[in-house]
Amino acid sequence: MTATASASAAPERELTDGFNLVIDALKLNGVETIYGVPGIPITDFGRMAQGAGIRVISFRHEQNAGNAASIAGYLTKKPGICLTVSAPGFLNGLTALAHATTNCFPMILISGSSEREIVDLQQGDYEEMDQLAIAKPLCKAAFRVLHAADIGIGLARAIRAAVSGRPGGVYLDLPAKLFGQVMDAEAGAKSLVKVIDAAPAQIPAPAAVKRALDVLKSAKRPLIILGKGAAYAQADDEIRAFVEKSGAPFLPMSMAKGLLSDLHPQCAGAARSTVLKDADVVVMLGARLNWLLSHGKGKQWGEPGSKKFIQVDIEPREMDSNIEIAAPVVGDMGSCVSALLAGMGAGWPAPPADWIKTVVSKRDENVSKMAPRLMNNTSPMDYHGALGRLRTIIKERPDAILVNEGANTLDLARGIIDLYKPRKRIDVGTWGVMGIGMGYCIAAAIETKKPVLAVVGDSAFGFSGMEVETICRYNLPVCVVVFNNGGIYRGTDVNPCGGADPATTVFVKDSRYDKMMEAFGGVGVNATTPDELSRAVNAAMDSGRPTLVNAVIDPKAGTESGRIGNLNPQSVVKKK
Ligand code: ADP
Ligand code: TPW
Ligand code: MG
């Protein structure tokens, strides 16, 4: 172009496009990390996002990226972002989106999609699928953006839907064509929306607070149950003050462990059966009366009608979901607990001393019964010997994040490993789903910048095991301990008809999962005794190097379905 020609041309308008607008919208709303898998139509988007300073973590499978995003949401109270390609990538991410919704974790699954015109006429586009329709029943909200000018609003809607009220998974569908749409840069910038107060406080009604305090005051044997909704809310100081002022024993659900230390004098974790059966007033803080609490009924809960429930939850429809709630308190945890505290005033009466004495003596009895089992150094290891060592390691490193999945590996670790600080334990959650392990490790390391210890069954590990490459690639401070008992629940099953095929629940004997980590440059250790296990994990936690310890567990040590064998239907009419 000559100087004359350029001087005479109309001044060029600056342009932007869908790629840039999505990135600008994410950055404007404080998104720092995206978890995903690249491919058409989002490869360039991932590159550009990285170029724009967003951390883009590339996984080996979308389900693990989605699980990472979901737990990032739980740990930070900001929606975790998962980015996938169309149809198959989207479907791989969908399990995690549904998991996030079920667990009340804020997450946004952003998927590229094919051309609407072709999809709707079912003309066979590349990776054709009506993704929006498929996502809808599995998440809290689902949106599609068709015009570049709507990207700002689309993302704002997704963020607000994910974190306000009861948090959950949100699907955001971005068709390939959208990314390439061009518009005037100034108009584009103006179209972006910064979400103000994405999760507004929800103040409980004073009458509801008073009703709850009246019920609590009437209690002779009060109990407080802390759930992961309470841990999520980050109202740690208020919750501690409320529990301490009430003087009631508390029982943490698994991911609420550490919200108040498991060694807190009021912790009744080791007296679970006693408190559930004998309490007369139960305060539920951010926990649902679902299968994990036997729906609030049955033998575990003592005589029918023997207790009254106070429930604090942000979701009004949670009340009376399984049984009658005598005092529903609807609002966000921080506001509700603060209102309860204020209403208690000074001089709130302590619960009757005999109740506290009963709970404490049961707890201490159970703890001392367990103690010797945790100190054994036998080989092959049993769960108690191995977990006893890991319990000490977490005690010495209360800031570490514990990731836990499996059956026996899960149930026994939950009971044995104490937690001391809020949101340090993340696990299989409401579904008891296998496969959260490595995705959770990666997000926990990235979001909290703290060392991560994963305690996972050999079966559980297999669902996300390939992500050890991701752990090595990003050089994350993650130590994975695979409890290798050679199978699902046990490693001893045999094929009932004696054929060449192995039993359905067993794996290759004497597998060496540690070699997987070595294959990608990390540290692998084979540990056959609790002492060896302890040395290897301590070294990993000190060095921060990606490590996998293959912990050889006695194949006979576990039980079928771990602690939930009662939910496992078994045929009584077995044919020969
Ligand atoms: P757990 O599995 O630990 O028992 P659940 O997942 O069953 O816990 O229950 C969590 C509950 O917490 C849900 O009913 C959810 O609506 C509620 N919740 C989530 N966030 C908040 C919040 N900020 N304030 C109050 N309740 C919340
Ligand atoms: C997505 C069913 C529950 S627990 C488990 C499976 C397959 C594995 C238990 O073996 P593991 O632990 O991990 O070796 P251990 O110590 O008892 O030997 N698919 C999904 N989720 C679930 N929950 C299952 C299957 C299951
Ligand atoms: Mg196993």
Side-chain angles (χ1 to χ4, degrees), residues 77 102-105 163 165-167 225-230 232-234 252-256 284-290 292-293 311-315 318 331-334 336 429-430:
K77 285 186 97 175
T102 298
N103 283 275
C104 317
F105 299 159
V163 294
R166 170 182 278 175
I225 296 184
L226 304 171
K228 59 180 174 305
Y232 168 80
Q234 297 191 16
M253 300 302 287
S254 70
M255 281 177 57
M284 310 283 301
L285 298 184
R288 286 171 284 186
L289 283 163
N290 56 17
L292 287 158
L293 286 168
Q311 185 161 23
V312 178
D313 205 289
I314 201 158
E315 172 57 63
E318 188 54 41
D332 71 277
M333 193 57 58
C336 291
T430 304

Side-chain angles (χ1 to χ4, degrees), residues 224 240 242-251 260 263-269 356 359-360 363:
I224 296 171
R240 164 188 296 277
F242 170 71
V243 171
E244 290 180 348
K245 192 172 231 181
S246 78
F250 70 88
L251 194 63
L260 277 82
L263 299 186
H264 190 285
Q266 286 165 256
C267 183
I356 302 300
V359 176
V360 168
R363 179 191 72 192

Side-chain angles (χ1 to χ4, degrees), residues 172-451:
L172 187 61
D173 191 273
L174 303 182
K177 261 195 197 165
L178 177 80
F179 289 103
Q181 274 182 34
V182 172
M183 70 182 284
D184 176 76
E186 204 183 312
K190 281 197 188 129
S191 73
L192 300 183
V193 177
K194 185 169 164 58
V195 179
I196 311 293
D197 195 13
Q202 288 181 226
I203 313 290
V209 173
K210 181 172 182 308
R211 189 187 299 120
L213 289 174
D214 287 347
V215 174
L216 184 58
K217 205 162 218 170
S218 74
K220 301 216 163 37
R221 297 177 304 281
L223 167 68
I224 296 171
I225 296 184
L226 304 171
K228 59 180 174 305
Y232 168 80
Q234 297 191 16
D236 308 340
D237 293 343
E238 294 90 330
I239 290 172
R240 164 188 296 277
F242 170 71
V243 171
E244 290 180 348
K245 192 172 231 181
S246 78
F250 70 88
L251 194 63
M253 300 302 287
S254 70
M255 281 177 57
K257 275 168 73 80
L259 178 47
L260 277 82
S261 164
D262 281 331
L263 299 186
H264 190 285
Q266 286 165 256
C267 183
R272 183 185 164 94
S273 328
T274 302
V275 287
L276 286 183
K277 190 158 71 51
D278 294 341
D280 64 348
V281 169
V282 182
V283 185
M284 310 283 301
L285 298 184
R288 286 171 284 186
L289 283 163
N290 56 17
W291 70 279
L292 287 158
L293 286 168
S294 313
H295 309 280
K297 352 180 222 214
K299 238 171 60 193
Q300 192 182 11
W301 287 93
E303 287 299 306
S306 65
K307 38 190 106 313
K308 285 187 174 156
F309 285 86
I310 300 168
Q311 185 161 23
V312 178
D313 205 289
I314 201 158
E315 172 57 63
R317 287 178 304 171
E318 188 54 41
M319 306 301 161
D320 307 323
S321 61
N322 285 270
I323 49 157
E324 181 186 285
I325 301 299
V329 182
V330 174
D332 71 277
M333 193 57 58
S335 301
C336 291
V337 173
S338 299
L340 289 167
L341 257 176
M344 287 162 102
W348 183 262
D354 57 345
W355 170 237
I356 302 300
K357 212 171 123 204
T358 308
V359 176
V360 168
S361 67
K362 190 72 207 167
R363 179 191 72 192
D364 293 350
E365 181 192 323
N366 286 341
V367 167
S368 49
K369 250 194 242 161
M370 172 91 86
R373 301 185 67 186
L374 302 179
M375 284 157 60
N376 82 65
N377 197 34
T378 53
S379 175
M381 291 185 270
D382 63 16
Y383 287 92
H384 288 84
L387 289 168
R389 301 310 173 95
L390 299 178
R391 163 196 163 104
T392 305
I393 287 169
I394 290 291
K395 187 169 191 181
E396 289 165 357
R397 294 175 174 76
D399 281 322
I401 309 273
L402 178 68
V403 175
N404 191 199
E405 62 177 337
N408 294 280
T409 307
L410 175 91
D411 292 337
L412 293 167
R414 182 176 56 225
I416 292 171
I417 302 181
D418 289 328
L419 278 296
Y420 307 89
K421 294 188 174 183
R423 296 169 296 283
K424 296 297 185 188
R425 185 191 151 88
I426 48 184
D427 66 27
V428 299
T430 304
W431 266 345
V433 66
M434 298 300 112
I436 48 85
M438 298 307 105
Y440 276 20
C441 286
I442 291 166
I446 286 173
E447 301 289 340
T448 69
K449 309 210 166 30
K450 299 281 191 268

Side-chain angles (χ1 to χ4, degrees), residues 383 409 457-459 483-490 507:
Y383 287 92
T409 307
D458 50 344
S459 166
F483 271 46
N484 187 357
N485 64 345
I488 298 175
Y489 315 135
R490 288 167 72 84
F507 301 134

